[in-house]
Amino acid sequence: CMACHTMEKKLVGPSYKEVAAKYAGQSGAVDKLAAKIMKGGSGVYGIVPMPANTQVNEAQAKQLAAWVLTIK
């Protein structure tokens, strides 16, 4: 979501660029990120939790995750 993330700079959460760099080359990265998009998470980038995005289905979450991973 653009209210919590930006392309280049940390906002509430890490930048999309930072996320892409962290997961670059990891096996199963799309599935890991898609699960975080749908279910939320915490502790990976500090104490601020990422809320669940319950309006996003699995296919949409995977598409979003795949897009984030293309950011350089």
Side-chain angles (χ1 to χ4, degrees):
C1 120
M2 297 308 273
C4 298
H5 303 276
T6 68
M7 285 293 201
E8 302 268 334
K9 296 180 182 177
K10 178 177 174 38
L11 191 56
V12 176
S15 70
Y16 290 129
K17 191 174 184 177
E18 185 179 354
V19 174
K22 183 175 188 83
Y23 289 91
Q26 287 189 25
S27 176
V30 169
D31 290 334
K32 288 177 194 175
L33 289 176
K36 287 190 180 290
I37 291 167
M38 291 185 303
K39 298 175 184 172
S42 64
V44 176
Y45 291 95
I47 61 169
V48 178
M50 178 176 153
N53 290 280
T54 57
Q55 76 282 10
V56 177
N57 67 38
E58 186 175 0
Q60 292 168 326
K62 286 184 178 186
Q63 186 175 19
L64 287 166
W67 171 76
V68 167
L69 292 171
T70 67
I71 297 170
K72 304 279 185 230

